[in-house]
């Protein structure tokens, strides 16, 4: 039934009745695959429109471990904090090797850094968005993911499962369905109500205001009873941080947090990379040092020559003076001897 949402929903309802599950079904809304380089202005506009229409929603953030200290990432966190203040919830996508270098597991040093950085910047992810393929993998390869108690199951259209395996499950999850599936489903009542099982409407980030208006029209015309994701019971622990949510709010390590938005200044003169070191610079530096040394030696030699020459000249001058004095004294003595 993979890739067939109508059959999956029907089968889910049958299995729910078969097992006698009394849990009520909930319907939430997710805007998936939000990156730091997504259209953040549209994210803000969509958040404002949903808030104005009283529509609770969640934002699926793709974890990225590169450049988490860059100003662009700080601005991204500011947008996510703004989304939270507009009654939005943050969901984190299952990490991919394309965005997290050791993203085969959530419990990785890189993911520790990503999640810790999000929490330090006031962003609190409450669940995991993952494809159906996760539940066909052996538990040994995904065991660290069991730190998440809840999540959203996104459709995978190509899955190959062979043999029986000890696979992994979420304590609670909702099935992702497209907004087109909801639009194509008829309801006996004016209020659409819920499907037999918990579902999450997957609505891509609109490209422009016209697309956003069309999506809002479908949601409002269907009179959807959407649930605020953060008011459901969620809990997970990664590293030293434990995040839990319920109808009373979000708790981080047992303490309540505020979702009000306060804009913080972002460093404008951030140095993204060190100045390049040119190879010729070292050559010129060595050449300058060599020339200074040679010139210094020449100056010292010149001073020595000048001092030595002065001394030699003075000695010669004194000798000449002494010889003249002796000659004069001798002549004077001869004159005295020859006088009558």
């Amino acid at each position: 039934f993979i890739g067939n949402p109508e059959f999956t929903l029907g089968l889910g309802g049958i299995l729910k009745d078969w097992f006698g599950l009394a849990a009520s079904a909930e319907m939430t809304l997710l805007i998936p695959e939000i990156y730091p380089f997504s259209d953040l202005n549209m994210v803000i506009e969509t958040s404002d429109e949903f808030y104005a229409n009283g529509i609770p929603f969640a934002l699926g953030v793709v974890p990225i471990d590169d450049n988490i200290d860059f100003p662009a990432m700080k601005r991204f966190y500011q947008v996510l904090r703004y989304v939270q203040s507009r009654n939005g919830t943050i969901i984190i996508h299952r990490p991919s090797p394309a965005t997290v270098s050791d993203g085969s597991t959530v419990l990785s040093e890189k993911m520790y850094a990503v999640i810790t950085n999000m929490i330090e910047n006031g962003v609190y992810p409450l669940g995991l968005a993952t494809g159906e393929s996760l539940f066909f993998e052996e538990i040994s390869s995904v065991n660290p993911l069991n730190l998440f108690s809840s999540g959203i199951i996104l459709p995978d259209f190509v899955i190959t499962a062979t043999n029986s395996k000890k696979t992994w499950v979420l304590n609670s999850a909702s099935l992702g369905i497209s907004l087109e599936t909801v639009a194509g489903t008829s309801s006996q009542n004016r209020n659409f109500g819920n499907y037999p099982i918990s579902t999450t409407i997957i609505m891509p980030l609109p490209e422009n205001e016209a697309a956003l208006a069309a999506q809002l029209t479908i949601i409002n015309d269907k009179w959807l009873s959407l649930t605020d994701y953060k008011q459901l019971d969620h809990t997970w622990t990664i590293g030293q941080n434990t995040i839990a949510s319920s109808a009373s709010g979000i708790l981080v390590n047992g303490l309540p947090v505020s979702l009000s938005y306060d804009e913080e200044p972002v460093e404008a003169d951030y140095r993204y990379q060190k100045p390049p070191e040119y190879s010729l610079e070292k050559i010129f530096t060595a050449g300058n040092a060599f020339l200074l040394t040679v010139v210094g030696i020449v100056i010292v030699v010149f001073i020595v020559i000048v001092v030595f020459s002065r001394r030699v000249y003075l000695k010669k001058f004194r000798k000449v003076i002494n010889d003249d004095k002796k000659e004069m004294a001798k002549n004077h003595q001869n004159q005295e001897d020859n006088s009558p």
Side-chain angles (χ1 to χ4, degrees):
F1 59 90
I2 300 300
N4 190 329
E6 293 81 4
F7 182 80
T8 303
L9 292 170
L11 179 61
I14 294 174
L15 293 176
K16 181 179 178 180
D17 293 337
W18 179 271
F19 291 106
L21 300 177
S24 61
E26 308 288 350
M27 180 181 288
T28 55
L29 187 147
L30 173 70
I31 302 175
E33 297 183 358
I34 301 299
Y35 295 83
F37 45 81
S38 298
D39 187 350
L40 300 183
N41 290 327
M42 182 54 65
V43 171
I44 293 174
E45 185 174 350
T46 302
S47 302
D48 289 337
E49 289 296 326
F50 279 10
Y51 184 76
N53 285 269
I55 300 174
F57 66 101
L59 207 65
V61 177
V62 179
I64 298 178
D65 67 337
D66 286 336
N67 308 325
I68 59 177
D69 295 327
F70 278 20
M73 190 65 75
K74 300 293 183 182
R75 297 187 188 96
F76 182 54
Y77 290 147
Q78 283 192 353
V79 172
L80 297 184
R81 288 201 306 273
Y82 183 82
V83 168
Q84 291 179 149
S85 71
R86 309 306 277 179
N87 204 30
T89 301
I90 304 302
I91 303 295
I92 193 165
H93 280 271
R94 182 187 181 190
S96 164
T99 57
V100 178
S101 55
D102 55 349
S104 58
T105 62
V106 169
L107 189 62
S108 63
E109 293 183 2
K110 296 292 186 180
M111 280 305 298
Y112 275 138
V114 171
I115 298 296
T116 300
N117 202 38
M118 293 178 72
I119 295 174
E120 290 175 350
N121 283 273
V123 179
Y124 310 107
L126 298 180
L128 178 70
T130 178
E132 294 172 344
S133 59
L134 171 67
F135 306 98
F136 292 88
E137 298 178 11
E138 292 190 53
I139 196 170
S140 58
S141 62
V142 296
N143 187 44
L145 294 172
N146 63 14
L147 297 176
F148 289 84
S149 68
S150 55
I152 298 172
I153 304 173
L154 305 177
D156 285 337
F157 297 101
V158 179
I159 296 178
T160 302
T162 58
N163 304 324
S164 60
K165 304 174 182 177
K166 183 180 179 182
T167 57
W168 178 79
V169 296
L170 287 164
N171 293 341
S172 61
S174 57
L175 178 67
I177 59 174
S178 65
L179 187 60
E180 290 73 17
T181 299
V182 176
T185 303
S186 59
S187 175
Q188 296 179 351
N189 302 320
R190 184 72 179 90
N191 189 314
F192 185 84
N194 291 322
Y195 288 104
I197 59 176
S198 294
T199 53
T200 295
I201 301 174
I202 308 301
M203 190 192 85
L205 181 67
E207 296 182 356
N208 48 49
E209 294 181 359
L212 174 59
Q215 293 170 337
L216 284 171
T217 299
I218 296 175
I219 295 173
N220 290 327
D221 288 349
K222 281 292 185 178
W223 284 40
L224 299 177
S225 301
L226 296 174
T227 302
D228 189 350
Y229 190 90
K230 61 178 172 291
Q231 292 188 356
L232 302 175
D233 293 331
H234 309 286
T235 180
W236 60 273
T237 302
I238 185 166
Q240 298 179 350
N241 297 300
T242 298
I243 299 182
S245 73
S246 63
S248 59
I250 298 176
L251 301 177
V252 177
N253 299 325
L255 300 176
V257 296
S258 172
L259 299 181
S260 60
Y261 176 71
D262 294 319
E263 186 168 347
E264 298 177 357
V266 178
E267 184 179 358
D269 56 349
Y270 183 85
R271 179 171 291 184
Y272 287 90
Q273 60 183 4
K274 296 180 179 180
E277 295 183 359
Y278 299 102
S279 59
L280 293 178
E281 183 177 351
K282 295 182 178 180
I283 297 176
F284 290 143
T285 301
N288 291 337
F290 175 76
L291 290 176
L292 289 175
T293 302
V294 172
V295 171
I297 293 174
V298 170
I299 292 174
V300 171
V301 171
F302 177 75
I303 293 174
V304 171
I305 292 174
V306 169
V307 172
F308 179 77
S309 300
R310 182 174 181 275
R311 288 182 178 180
V312 171
Y313 176 78
L314 288 175
K315 286 181 179 181
K316 289 183 177 182
F317 180 76
R318 290 192 185 103
K319 184 177 180 181
V320 170
I321 295 297
N322 292 334
D323 290 344
D324 289 343
K325 287 180 178 181
K326 290 178 180 180
E327 186 66 27
M328 289 177 62
K330 184 178 180 180
N331 292 335
H332 182 68
Q333 183 66 35
N334 291 334
Q335 289 177 0
E336 288 180 352
D337 292 342
N338 295 327
S339 61

